[in-house]
Amino acid sequence: MKKILIKRSSKKISLPKYETTGSAGMDIAASIEKEIIIKPGNTALIPTGISVAIPKGFEIQIRPRSGLAVKKNITVLNTPGTIDSDYRGEIKVILINLSKINFCVEDKMRIAQMVLCPIIQGEFEEVEELSDTKRGSGGFGSTGIK
């Protein structure tokens, strides 16, 4: 297990945790003074009250919680959101309401999950031509449906 340094803006904020021994992501919660209403089709930037120091060579991805997505049609807009190893500010989550009714975010509500992921940085080398493949430049849907 990799150690991640974490700072809470207040002791009232719960630290992220794995809900089961097989969980890939840790739930993170809203840290807000008053509820935030997200109208249908709208977004809101939700503070969490936590900051992290991620080791070099890793990132934290912010992903939707499946329960909110399937039951309430609430998801993370820029999923997965990336938190880089050199960022030290508060983690905030962009939620979008894809339902037809208002959604109320309350303090301490679990709004997303964060997953620690290794990163491999690449170095680009410009060339005049790339090697051919069977797919070639076929894009979206080029391999068919079945």
Side-chain angles (χ1 to χ4, degrees):
M1 189 166 291
K2 195 74 174 166
K3 185 173 286 200
I4 307 298
L5 302 178
I6 188 165
K7 177 184 169 189
R8 295 186 276 188
S9 62
S10 163
K11 291 295 182 190
K12 73 176 184 104
I13 295 167
S14 299
L15 292 176
K17 64 177 183 164
Y18 295 104
E19 293 296 324
T20 68
T21 57
S23 294
M26 294 174 270
D27 287 344
I28 55 175
S31 177
I32 53 180
E33 296 294 321
K34 62 179 187 168
E35 65 185 25
I36 296 173
I37 303 296
I38 309 174
K39 293 181 179 181
N42 286 357
T43 62
L45 187 61
I46 311 297
T48 65
I50 59 172
S51 304
V52 292
I54 305 165
K56 188 172 178 157
F58 290 85
E59 69 166 333
I60 285 180
Q61 293 183 358
I62 303 299
R63 300 180 183 179
R65 292 191 65 234
S66 58
L68 278 181
V70 74
K71 294 174 185 173
K72 302 290 185 179
N73 289 325
I74 302 299
T75 192
V76 176
L77 183 61
N78 63 324
T79 188
T82 293
I83 302 170
D84 297 308
S85 64
D86 57 352
Y87 177 70
R88 294 296 184 269
E90 179 182 10
I91 295 173
K92 295 181 181 180
V93 179
I94 307 168
L95 292 182
I96 186 167
N97 182 352
L98 299 176
S99 78
K100 296 182 184 340
I101 60 173
N102 288 348
F103 180 75
C104 178
V105 180
E106 298 172 343
D107 188 42
K108 298 184 181 178
M109 175 185 281
R110 293 180 295 157
I111 57 168
Q113 59 180 326
M114 52 192 243
V115 177
L116 180 66
C117 300
I119 294 297
I120 300 171
Q121 290 184 327
E123 181 180 340
F124 289 102
E125 179 182 341
E126 187 175 5
V127 296
E128 295 296 322
E129 296 291 328
L130 299 174
S131 61
D132 286 332
T133 66
K134 183 178 178 183
R135 181 176 181 178
S137 61
F140 298 102
S142 66
T143 58
I145 295 175
K146 293 184 178 186

